[in-house]
Amino acid sequence: MFELHTNLKPAGGQPECIKKLTNNIKIGKRFNTLLGVTGSGKTFVMSHVIKNIQKPTLILSHNKTLAAQLYQEFKEFFPENAVNYFVSYYDYYQPEAYIPQTDTYIEKDAKINETIDRLRHEAVQNILTRNDTIIVASVSAIYNIGSPEYYQKISFTLKKGTKIKRRDLLKVLVNLQYERNDFEFLPGRFRIIGNIINIFSPTGKEIIKLELQNDQIFRILVNNNEKTKTFSEMTYGKFKEEKEITIFPAKFWVSPQDKLEIALKNIEIELSERLKQLKKEKKFLEAERLKKRTEYDLSMIREIGWCSGIENYSAHLEFRKPGSPPFTLIDYFPKDFITFIDESHQTIPQIKAMYEGDRKRKETLIEYGFRLPSALDNRPLKFNEFIKKVKQVVFVSATPGKYEMKKAKEENSLVELIIRPTGLLDPKIEIKPTKNQIQDLIKEIEKAISQKERVLVTTLTKRLAEDIADFLKEKKFKVHYLHSEIKTLDRPGILRDLRLGKYDVIVGINLLREGLDLPEVALVAILDADREGFLRNETTLIQTMGRAARHPNGRVILYADKITKSMEKAIKETERRRKIQKIYNEKHHIKPEAIQKAIRDWGFDQKEEVLPEDILELAKLKDIKALEKEMKIAAQNLDFERAAKIRDEISQLKKQ
């Protein structure tokens, strides 16, 4: 059951919006649109709707930074419930590609963020086991992650007293894609000390100790205390004895053993057919390339259950028909759930664009013998497939797109949230010439700083953002730039430092548009506002200007030499909303107040203490006789690496 924790009560336009949205969902309206101005408390409204509806919830964002902010907010609103974060786990990602014109093959290159990987596993496990789950996700949620049926089927439940041989238990763990490593004990790995098997959950939040006696589970101990912060705390902290435990796979790409061999044979059949076709077309180089690569991958899967790029064989591993939609995060949800699409004017187009770009790249790889044709079925969802899967949807935006407005019109489900609970108005707008805009900007920044206000500056390019930030630093301003090359987990920290006053100014591009909750910002300066285009269209301008709507002195400077159609529409809409807000405030005798919002710690930037647990535990024992016994057991099990490690530890202890 969802329990909302907040001292705030709905105010302004919020009560009516909550009532309308709740009613719309309860009577079965499939598509709803919440048009909420910046600073109106859209997240607060969403939280109340979730509490009223009491269904598992998916919240989609087009941007990792915004997803992180939403994740933080919902964790505060629902501390007793499962609130999870599911975004792409790459800090760096270069997809596999081939450029025929230059005969250049680009191998897949990626750096996985282990923290995000653990959070993804936690999200999936919670949605499979709990009804009170909220998952905040980026559009990575529409990419293939493997079959939920197989993920659950291969999961293994152990009960106290279960009859199982040690060797069979280890085989189960290997089939679940856990790696044995007795010295570097990390999430997704297991290690053995005598008759105890330690398993580190892929979520990174629990350590399971299975004690074996006489070929049965004698005891199950689990440390899953949310308060533990470090590896050693988890290792040596309090363990709770459990009667049973379910061990989930360490990776998403898993298949039951009885199905795996069939899948591999099907891959071999496809390979044979494809080789015949390539040779018929006299593409002998391509045929040889494909043969070597595929046979190597198959041998790796047979040996260790995994290979690099295993997702390209997902259609076979999941026994999907050609062209059928892949399994995504959405498939792990129960049949009845709610989806909120945050900043829908950005998220919807992003979802629509994913499929075609992915397919074009893979078609080239297939044509030149780098991948089998079935690799095409490792893909993101098409937009129509996505819409079929999400059931009931609430589009959330200050500037809903054509699609959202069309759906809202069809179902009469548009809900407007224009009146802020604080009484704050949309910002004042001033237009200034581009000539000497930097010099003028400096004066405006100095003015804002003198009033203890923060400033956002938007540019058109990353290079310009960095150059302006460097120039302002030379002028002794506390400034930082922010764009897509800043690491995912570093971005919230930079914005937090802006709020704390470590920075007075942040210079960026599109990352400074939607959803960023920065109540200290009073001035938004938009350079080259008359450069018509994606970064300066009506929607973008309204969103960007909205960053100043959370401050009583909120104002916007548009540096432009002419008023474009986009500028005209954006200014007109802002003035419309400002007029409605003024009338409401006068009628209800409301004086605008600054938004009071706590500055949160960003939980993911904490450095975890990851130490080789085996050495810690052995050092703790300080018992040479016990160590010698462990060494002999390791040798008997043909685990010579571990035996040698213990031998060295004994030598060190004898010298003490």
Side-chain angles (χ1 to χ4, degrees), residues 173-185:
L173 291 174
V174 172
N175 289 340
L176 289 169
Q177 297 300 316
Y178 286 84
E179 298 176 21
R180 178 175 178 175
N181 193 312
D182 291 339
F183 305 105
E184 193 176 19
F185 195 43

Side-chain angles (χ1 to χ4, degrees), residues 239-412:
F239 278 76
K240 183 181 177 183
E241 188 166 354
E242 301 285 355
K243 291 182 179 179
E244 68 176 51
I245 189 76
T246 297
I247 302 173
F248 288 96
K251 292 182 173 68
F252 290 113
W253 301 104
V254 289
S255 291
Q257 284 300 112
D258 60 335
K259 299 281 190 180
L260 182 59
E261 192 54 42
I262 299 172
L264 296 179
K265 286 180 180 178
N266 289 338
I267 295 170
E268 288 174 342
I269 292 170
E270 185 190 7
L271 173 62
S272 177
E273 293 174 350
R274 180 59 176 163
L275 291 177
K276 288 178 182 177
Q277 184 182 348
L278 289 171
K279 289 174 181 177
K280 188 178 178 181
E281 297 171 0
K282 299 188 184 302
K283 294 182 176 180
F284 300 109
L285 174 63
E286 289 83 352
E288 184 63 23
R289 179 188 289 151
L290 184 63
K291 183 175 183 294
K292 284 185 177 180
R293 167 174 286 228
T294 308
E295 287 179 348
Y296 175 78
D297 287 347
L298 290 173
S299 68
M300 290 294 292
I301 295 171
R302 284 193 170 98
E303 287 295 320
I304 64 172
W306 185 263
C307 76
S308 179
I310 192 172
E311 63 274 10
N312 290 293
Y313 305 104
S314 60
H316 288 292
L317 296 171
E318 298 159 8
F319 295 90
R320 288 190 281 118
K321 294 180 180 178
S324 60
F327 295 108
T328 69
L329 173 67
I330 301 167
D331 294 289
Y332 286 74
F333 277 81
K335 289 183 179 180
D336 195 12
F337 70 101
I338 315 170
T339 300
F340 289 91
I341 301 180
D342 192 49
E343 306 297 349
S344 59
H345 65 284
Q346 284 282 25
T347 309
I348 292 295
Q350 197 175 72
I351 294 170
K352 288 181 176 179
M354 292 297 174
Y355 173 77
E356 288 299 333
D358 181 84
R359 185 175 181 87
K360 189 173 181 181
R361 178 176 57 82
K362 286 199 175 80
E363 283 176 342
T364 304
L365 289 168
I366 292 164
E367 183 182 352
Y368 290 91
F370 291 96
R371 289 293 172 194
L372 290 170
S374 58
L376 287 174
D377 289 318
N378 168 45
R379 59 176 177 83
L381 293 171
K382 299 176 184 177
F383 183 70
N384 65 320
E385 295 170 338
F386 166 76
I387 288 296
K388 285 180 182 177
K389 285 178 180 284
V390 291
K391 312 301 179 190
Q392 284 188 293
V393 183
V394 180
F395 304 111
V396 182
S397 175
T399 52
K402 291 181 180 179
Y403 179 84
E404 302 96 284
M405 295 302 289
K406 179 186 175 186
K407 291 297 181 182
K409 188 177 180 180
E410 289 173 357
E411 297 197 35
N412 190 27

Side-chain angles (χ1 to χ4, degrees), residues 441-451 455 475 477:
L441 175 63
I442 290 172
K443 293 178 182 177
E444 294 291 348
I445 292 172
E446 289 173 340
K447 181 181 175 182
I449 292 173
S450 69
Q451 298 173 1
V455 181
K475 299 292 182 181
F477 290 107

Side-chain angles (χ1 to χ4, degrees), residues 399 532-534 536-545 565-571 573:
T399 52
E532 192 81 74
F534 170 69
R536 298 293 184 264
N537 61 29
E538 177 191 354
T539 298
T540 303
L541 287 171
I542 291 174
Q543 290 283 354
T544 306
M545 293 189 295
K565 288 184 179 180
S566 294
M567 288 173 62
E568 186 179 359
K569 290 178 180 178
I571 293 168
E573 175 61 16

Side-chain angles (χ1 to χ4, degrees), residues 205-222:
K205 286 197 170 183
E206 64 181 14
I207 290 178
I208 303 163
K209 292 192 176 187
L210 303 176
E211 189 173 337
L212 302 177
Q213 283 191 13
N214 301 320
D215 292 336
Q216 71 172 14
I217 304 295
F218 176 71
R219 197 160 54 157
I220 302 171
L221 298 170
V222 180

Side-chain angles (χ1 to χ4, degrees), residues 4 6 8-10 14 18 22 43-53 78:
L4 178 60
T6 178
L8 301 173
K9 292 182 179 180
Q14 292 173 345
I18 294 167
T22 301
T43 306
F44 188 65
V45 170
M46 290 158 65
S47 297
H48 275 274
V49 173
I50 293 170
K51 183 201 74 170
N52 293 344
I53 300 299
F78 298 100

